[in-house]
Amino acid sequence: MTRTSAVSRANLDLVEEYQRRWREDPESVDASWRNFFEGYDLGVSHSGPEAEAFANAPPPAQQVVKAVTRLVDAYREMGHNLADLDPLKLTPRRQTDEQLELGNFGLSETDLDREFYSKLGQNRHGTLREIIGVLRETYCRTIGVEFMHIRDLEIRRWLFERMEPVRNHPQFDIKQKRRIIYKLNEAELFETFLHKNFVGQKRFSLEGGEMLIPLLDGVIERSGSLGVQEIVIGMPHRGRLNVLANILHKPYGLIFSEFEGNMPETVAGDGDVKYHLGFSADHVTADKQTVHLTLTPNPSHLEAVDPVVEGRMRAKQRQAKDAQRKLGIPILIHGDAAFAGQGLVAETLNLSQLPGYRTGGTIHIVVNNQIGFTTAPIDARSTRYCTDVAKMIEAPIFHVNGEDPEAVVFVGELATDFRQQFGRDVVIDMVCYRRHGHNEGDEPGFTQPLMYDNIKNRISVREMYTEQLVTSGELSSKEAETIAETFADKLGQVLAEVKREGVEPRTISPGYSSGPWADLTPNFSFTPIETGVSYDVIKQITAVAAATPPGFTPNHKLVRIFQGRVKTVDERGSLDWAHAEALAFGSLLKEGTPVRLSGQDSRRGTFSQRHAVLIDQLTAQPWIPLNNLGDGQAQFCVYDSFLSEAAVLGFDYGYSLDEPNMLIMWEAQFGDFANGAQVIVDQFIASAESKWGRGSGIVMLLPHGYEGQGPEHSSARLERYLQLCAEENIQVCVPSTPAQYFHMLRRQVRRNFRKPLIVMTPKSLLRRKEAVSPVDQLVVGSFRDVLDDPTQPRAARRLILCSGKVYYDLAAKRAEAGKDKDVAIVRVEQLYPFPAEELKKTLLGYPEVRDWVWAQEESQNMGAWSFIAPRLEELMGFPFQYVGRDASASPATGSKLIHDREQNELVEAAVGAAVPHLVCATPVRALAAAGSREGAR
């Protein structure tokens, strides 16, 4: 049966009787009939005698019913096309839409005064003219709504019932209206004060979009009343100072002090411009509820902060044991051009309902200035609305005219209620304008003369709303003037005090004074920390990881693998990389430290090595062995991410900002793929502590190694991470044994400081028979920044320094060439912070060396060579010889044959067996003074 939202009385005897009884006594109407008719408004199909009565009605009646149904749904779907959304009226508002004309539905003017049942009417019925009037009031004024793309009928019904009875027109009391005008005064007068007193300084003004402040205030106030305790905000630079001052309550004096050049002190001392900084504070709502607000620092890369905010909120929800995700809300503020243009927006939206990344819904606020820098919407997107990308997750989208203050706040409260009700993203598109250019020194008239001619002569939204309240008698002219003057005087007094006495700058630290960071320090240390675990623990973890619950059918190949691990431990033999990793995870879990690992195919492992989650071969049900180690253990969270690098790494980085006591890892499918997340690496991971004082313990696992798999499956671009190294900001490690990997992971959360850790993880070494470690190396010891040659040929005349997989190829070639006594091979396992003291001590243990070589698989312009060469020369007093591939534009050859030849030639050259022309080998300069052993020392 066709769904409908109104039933014609004409020629339907049963329906006519229903209507008559409904008017006389609605409660006397049979429940089945009442549910039937009300169900039409909800888009619900029915069966039974009611449906039969409708089906048996004369065709004209059926046609009218269907026509009215389609008309109502059409207004719900397309009414926004007629809404008054643009305060600038750049394009004439459409008064009619041919798709909403009566004739398109088989209706005519004669039907307008016919009466229909409808929940839209005041008395459950009304004429078609009245029904259309209600629909236009609801969907075609200063609020336009897109929600009919949502397939969930419950969500659509909830939205019908919230919007249509009140016609999308708020009924605020005088207290609420006064709060709006107070916040508008703060927003506008703050900007004009800065403009007047700090001439020529960039601030990325909010003028034209001042309603963002009352909107955020309304969302926060509503959130507090719904039990929300924490809000994390991400936003671009435009309007950030205003949000900091008037939403997060950052003292005006601190902001004015920053304009005076007195910037906050950071851990490293570099800092950032004032409109990129973050802040946090408690906000006490009007009904005395406390909501903690956090504004996340953000670079000029606009939407890069989006996944970071989501990760932070997920961590906070975990700490609050907020499984329902109701106590914390992420809010993301966007520009219209960025929301439509930046791919990270879509990637972040895609996170919203994924098990490993959902945060219970995000409130997205688009401050729609109708321009991006100098680019008009017609050149900025191929869609009508900048928010159309949000339809991919079926988010409701509220378009609202930024010069209707009450409508804006109403939409904010409705969006907050929706988020709490359904745990889904919701979008507010606040259409406004930008009063100045991109910054206050920019001339917008060069490119948008008509728009800015319009803007130049506009009064502000504060002035409009003040006039509205004065006209209605809800505010006197004198009171309006007093509100403005009082606030302006306050700002003047604060600035005078700053100029007279100054303001002590806030020291930005990674939060070490309180919370989960309280027991940590920002200072890096080379001091080793014992990270071994007992043999009994290793044995127990291995046994549990090999066991499955009754009735579970594991893959037979995995049974053999896990049984082999049990045997290895029982015999105290040597274990491989994946086994060592599982023991690192399991031991931390048993000690109460949670572990999070996410990335593409991370549960199984890209190279089919990890098998952290087992899948029943008959039912496809998952089993996570490491979550069954025993009572009191922490949780192992391992997720296969969606096919994104930037959003997922940004999310896990954000998680690490608020959860330093958890091992948090992001794994690239191949190390090369981290290129897609370079903004997160550059602007957050490498520099956040220096710019904003934000510490992180994020671990990036990047499979790296040359095995002839082509340009995109060889290099994790080690050189790029080394180029970012300074001020002990990150750690870059290339562990070459399972034991080293085990100790490295454990020390990451056992030291008293946190630094991001970049790890070149192996591919072929996962199964190379030489790349194993005795179980006993996991029982005692710690991670070693430098690995001496295990054979320790102290009389060697040639020493090769290297990192990673190439060590095994070098060792094999040395043995083949019979040079075990003549050549020493030393591995640098941590490239940064550079372990100069330990490395020099190791190198001086070879007093007979005359040939000092750095060998690498990567091309000369890649890998560690450019980074390490000057450090080695400074350390030893002479340059090392380079042996490796020639400089090249591409990371690796696409030919396995060529790769094998190159690899063989470079290891031959390194051990001194040959120096072929295909390998770059600079002349050996062993000593500054020819033959002088003392020079080497």
Side-chain angles (χ1 to χ4, degrees):
M1 176 179 170
T2 304
R3 59 188 178 83
T4 181
S5 59
V7 178
S8 172
R9 295 178 60 209
N11 301 315
L12 278 172
D13 295 340
L14 290 174
V15 174
E16 197 171 64
E17 173 63 15
Y18 165 80
Q19 296 279 19
R20 184 186 63 77
R21 291 172 57 191
W22 176 270
R23 291 193 196 92
E24 294 174 356
D25 184 5
E27 297 304 317
S28 70
V29 177
D30 181 76
S32 64
W33 273 101
R34 185 160 57 249
N35 292 338
F36 169 62
F37 281 100
E38 293 183 356
Y40 279 120
D41 267 336
L42 312 181
V44 179
S45 298
H46 286 272
S47 59
E50 300 87 356
E52 184 178 353
F54 179 80
N56 292 332
Q62 292 186 12
Q63 291 172 4
V64 173
V65 169
K66 294 176 182 178
V68 175
T69 297
R70 292 196 304 272
L71 178 63
V72 171
D73 280 347
Y75 266 96
R76 289 166 170 168
E77 182 175 358
M78 295 179 287
H80 58 86
N81 291 329
L82 302 179
D84 178 15
L85 300 176
D86 180 11
L88 298 180
K89 305 294 188 293
L90 296 175
T91 302
R93 179 188 174 191
R94 297 167 63 183
Q95 298 299 317
T96 61
D97 187 324
E98 62 179 18
Q99 297 183 81
L100 296 176
E101 295 292 337
L102 293 178
N104 288 330
F105 303 92
L107 298 169
S108 68
E109 297 288 330
T110 60
D111 293 308
L112 287 174
D113 294 316
R114 296 176 64 180
E115 194 173 79
F116 296 87
Y117 168 82
S118 173
K119 292 177 73 175
L120 297 171
Q122 294 295 324
N123 298 306
R124 300 281 181 171
H125 65 279
T127 65
L128 180 57
R129 190 187 307 277
E130 292 170 336
I131 291 172
I132 292 175
V134 170
L135 292 168
R136 291 182 71 93
E137 281 188 68
T138 304
Y139 299 113
C140 305
R141 292 192 300 168
T142 55
I143 298 174
V145 190
E146 293 184 276
F147 66 102
M148 293 296 281
H149 58 279
I150 301 172
R151 288 171 292 180
D152 190 322
L153 292 179
E154 181 185 358
I155 292 177
R156 284 159 59 177
R157 175 171 56 189
W158 187 90
L159 290 167
F160 294 160
E161 293 176 347
R162 290 298 300 270
M163 295 187 294
E164 291 171 352
V166 297
R167 315 291 189 259
N168 264 342
H169 183 70
Q171 299 297 320
F172 290 149
D173 59 27
I174 187 60
K175 182 179 179 181
Q176 292 169 297
K177 293 179 180 181
R178 285 172 180 265
R179 188 175 183 98
I180 293 172
I181 196 62
Y182 281 132
K183 299 308 288 185
L184 270 177
N185 269 276
E186 290 177 352
E188 181 185 325
L189 298 180
F190 175 78
E191 295 289 359
T192 55
F193 185 86
L194 294 181
H195 193 69
K196 176 182 177 181
N197 289 278
F198 301 101
V199 179
Q201 289 206 43
K202 291 182 182 180
R203 69 180 191 277
F204 295 97
S205 163
L206 187 60
E207 289 166 274
E210 296 96 333
M211 270 307 301
L212 174 65
I213 300 304
L215 171 56
L216 281 173
D217 181 68
V219 169
I220 294 165
E221 289 288 311
R222 188 65 151 224
S223 297
S225 69
L226 296 174
V228 173
Q229 300 173 3
E230 187 98 34
I231 291 176
V232 180
I233 303 171
M235 68 176 298
H237 44 276
R238 183 161 310 286
R240 177 179 287 262
L241 295 178
N242 212 312
V243 170
L244 282 167
N246 296 315
I247 294 297
L248 281 96
H249 319 298
K250 182 175 182 178
Y252 296 117
L254 273 178
I255 296 174
F256 298 160
S257 179
E258 291 166 5
F259 271 98
E260 294 286 341
N262 191 11
M263 294 300 295
E265 297 176 359
T266 67
V267 172
D270 294 331
D272 199 355
V273 291
K274 50 191 167 289
Y275 41 79
H276 288 173
L277 302 179
F279 199 79
S280 63
D282 285 336
H283 172 87
V284 180
T285 66
D287 55 1
K288 308 304 180 186
Q289 302 299 312
T290 299
V291 183
H292 187 71
L293 307 177
T294 301
L295 179 62
T296 300
N298 189 29
S300 289
H301 288 69
L302 299 176
E303 304 295 338
V305 78
D306 296 355
V308 177
V309 166
E310 302 296 339
R312 295 193 69 180
M313 178 48 66
R314 175 88 170 205
K316 290 175 180 291
Q317 290 170 342
R318 180 184 174 278
Q319 291 167 344
K321 296 180 172 56
D322 181 16
Q324 299 301 312
R325 312 201 183 282
K326 300 292 187 184
L327 303 181
I329 296 179
I331 298 177
L332 293 177
I333 303 169
H334 316 264
D336 50 311
F339 198 81
Q342 295 282 298
L344 256 176
V345 173
E347 292 188 31
T348 304
L349 290 170
N350 203 13
L351 289 170
S352 64
Q353 295 300 313
L354 301 180
Y357 310 92
R358 58 186 169 216
T359 55
T362 299
I363 298 175
H364 298 268
I365 299 173
V366 180
V367 180
N368 190 341
N369 293 313
Q370 308 186 72
I371 193 169
F373 200 163
T374 67
T375 304
I378 193 172
D379 296 312
R381 60 180 185 265
S382 296
T383 57
R384 176 179 178 187
Y385 292 116
C386 63
T387 53
D388 284 346
V389 66
K391 292 179 182 177
M392 64 183 272
I393 59 166
E394 300 188 21
I397 302 168
F398 298 95
H399 305 283
V400 59
N401 190 317
E403 286 191 345
D404 186 342
E406 293 177 23
V408 172
V409 175
F410 169 78
V411 163
E413 293 180 347
L414 180 57
T416 307
D417 291 347
F418 174 87
R419 189 274 178 192
Q420 289 298 86
Q421 178 70 26
F422 294 103
R424 297 171 63 99
D425 286 34
V426 57
V427 179
I428 301 170
D429 174 24
M430 187 183 77
V431 186
C432 48
Y433 58 91
R434 188 186 67 195
R435 183 167 290 278
H436 303 291
H438 179 66
N439 60 62
E440 288 65 39
D442 185 39
E443 173 48 67
F446 290 156
T447 51
Q448 276 75 33
L450 299 182
M451 172 186 278
Y452 277 88
D453 187 57
N454 181 323
I455 291 172
K456 180 174 58 178
N457 299 312
R458 292 190 73 76
I459 65 171
S460 70
V461 64
R462 176 187 69 88
E463 293 170 305
M464 289 183 187
Y465 193 53
T466 298
E467 183 179 334
Q468 177 183 325
L469 294 182
V470 169
T471 301
S472 67
E474 295 168 293
L475 191 70
S476 69
S477 299
K478 179 62 177 176
E479 188 176 6
E481 292 174 5
T482 301
I483 293 172
E485 289 172 358
T486 300
F487 184 70
D489 289 344
K490 175 183 177 181
L491 296 180
Q493 292 169 9
V494 172
L495 178 59
E497 183 179 348
V498 169
K499 288 181 177 293
R500 184 174 62 253
E501 301 178 9
V503 173
E504 188 69 25
R506 235 175 28 108
T507 297
I508 299 177
S509 69
Y512 293 112
S513 60
S514 61
W517 289 84
D519 297 326
L520 300 171
T521 172
N523 302 315
F524 178 87
S525 171
F526 280 103
T527 303
I529 180 170
E530 179 69 34
T531 47
V533 298
S534 72
Y535 173 74
D536 288 341
V537 167
I538 289 174
K539 189 171 183 177
Q540 190 251 340
I541 294 170
T542 302
V544 170
T548 53
F552 187 93
T553 306
N555 184 287
H556 67 279
K557 294 180 181 178
L558 295 183
V559 172
R560 191 163 59 248
I561 291 172
F562 287 120
Q563 287 176 346
R565 292 181 180 179
V566 172
K567 182 180 179 182
T568 294
V569 172
D570 287 343
E571 297 174 352
R572 296 185 88 112
S574 294
L575 43 79
D576 63 16
W577 203 275
H579 191 179
E581 180 186 73
L583 292 172
F585 295 166
S587 58
L588 290 172
L589 296 170
K590 283 182 66 64
E591 294 164 7
T593 299
V595 175
R596 175 184 170 91
L597 170 63
S598 82
Q600 295 156 21
D601 308 293
S602 288
R603 297 194 302 176
R604 189 203 74 172
T606 295
F607 311 103
S608 197
Q609 85 281 5
R610 180 171 291 121
H611 304 294
V613 179
L614 307 183
I615 305 298
D616 190 295
Q617 299 298 288
L618 300 180
T619 66
Q621 291 301 304
W623 171 256
I624 304 177
L626 291 183
N627 275 334
N628 296 274
L629 296 173
D631 295 339
Q633 74 160 90
Q635 186 176 9
F636 180 40
C637 307
V638 54
Y639 302 105
D640 288 344
S641 75
F642 74 116
L643 202 62
S644 161
E645 286 81 36
V648 180
L649 176 58
F651 184 98
D652 286 320
Y653 167 75
Y655 205 120
S656 73
L657 292 177
D658 286 272
E659 186 48 279
N661 299 311
M662 182 181 196
L663 180 62
I664 300 171
M665 297 162 287
W666 173 77
E667 182 175 56
Q669 195 173 60
F670 285 85
D672 317 58
F673 297 173
N675 292 351
Q678 202 65 44
V679 169
I680 302 298
V681 175
D682 293 349
Q683 303 303 327
F684 291 94
I685 293 174
S687 58
E689 189 171 54
S690 178
K691 293 190 296 187
W692 310 315
R694 295 302 314 178
S696 166
I698 184 72
V699 179
M700 293 177 61
L701 303 178
L702 308 178
H704 175 83
Y706 281 54
E707 287 98 358
Q709 296 188 57
E712 278 72 61
H713 296 84
S714 297
S715 176
R717 293 293 193 172
L718 173 61
E719 65 278 358
R720 294 184 179 176
Y721 299 97
L722 293 175
Q723 186 183 42
L724 294 170
C725 293
E727 303 175 303
E728 298 178 338
N729 59 331
I730 59 176
Q731 306 162 92
V732 180
C733 293
V734 192
S736 60
T737 73
Q740 282 282 87
Y741 183 55
F742 169 88
H743 289 297
M744 180 197 68
L745 291 176
R746 285 181 51 77
R747 78 166 185 173
Q748 181 68 2
V749 284
R750 287 292 170 265
R751 292 184 293 188
N752 66 344
F753 62 88
R754 298 289 181 267
K755 300 286 181 178
L757 172 61
I758 317 298
V759 187
M760 302 291 112
T761 57
K763 303 194 297 287
S764 62
L765 291 192
L766 294 170
R767 293 179 176 83
R768 187 160 181 162
K769 62 180 181 179
E770 299 93 347
V772 294
S773 297
V775 170
D776 290 343
Q777 288 188 1
L778 277 63
V779 174
V780 295
S782 59
F783 180 79
R784 293 151 64 192
D785 298 330
V786 178
L787 282 184
D788 197 357
D789 192 321
T791 65
Q792 296 190 342
R794 296 302 179 193
R797 305 279 291 181
R798 186 178 184 88
L799 186 142
I800 305 171
L801 206 58
C802 67
S803 284
K805 165 187 160 288
V806 74
Y807 163 79
Y808 293 95
D809 295 336
L810 292 167
K813 182 60 66 173
R814 178 179 65 176
E816 179 187 314
K819 292 180 173 289
D820 293 340
K821 303 296 184 182
D822 301 326
V823 178
I825 307 175
V826 175
R827 285 164 277 178
V828 182
E829 301 278 288
Q830 177 173 295
L831 288 163
Y832 192 82
F834 186 60
E837 184 176 332
E838 184 178 355
L839 179 58
K840 187 168 186 176
K841 179 180 178 181
T842 302
L843 296 181
L844 291 180
Y846 295 90
E848 304 300 326
V849 170
R850 292 296 178 267
D851 295 342
W852 302 84
V853 175
W854 172 263
Q856 67 179 38
E857 298 182 304
E858 303 88 351
S859 300
Q860 188 178 21
N861 57 321
M862 302 175 193
W865 173 244
S866 298
F867 170 84
I868 205 167
R871 287 171 171 78
L872 292 176
E873 184 166 2
E874 180 181 2
L875 185 71
M876 301 300 290
F878 54 83
F880 274 54
Q881 174 186 0
Y882 167 81
V883 176
R885 287 175 168 82
D886 289 325
S888 64
S890 175
T893 177
S895 166
K896 181 67 163 62
L897 183 66
I898 295 175
H899 162 79
D900 289 341
R901 187 180 71 213
E902 289 178 349
Q903 194 77 0
N904 184 62
E905 289 177 346
L906 79 85
V907 295
E908 281 187 345
V911 301
V915 184
H917 71 281
L918 289 176
V919 177
C920 178
T922 58
V924 177
R925 286 179 53 198
L927 301 173
S932 171
R933 185 177 302 169
E934 290 301 312
R937 297 181 180 178

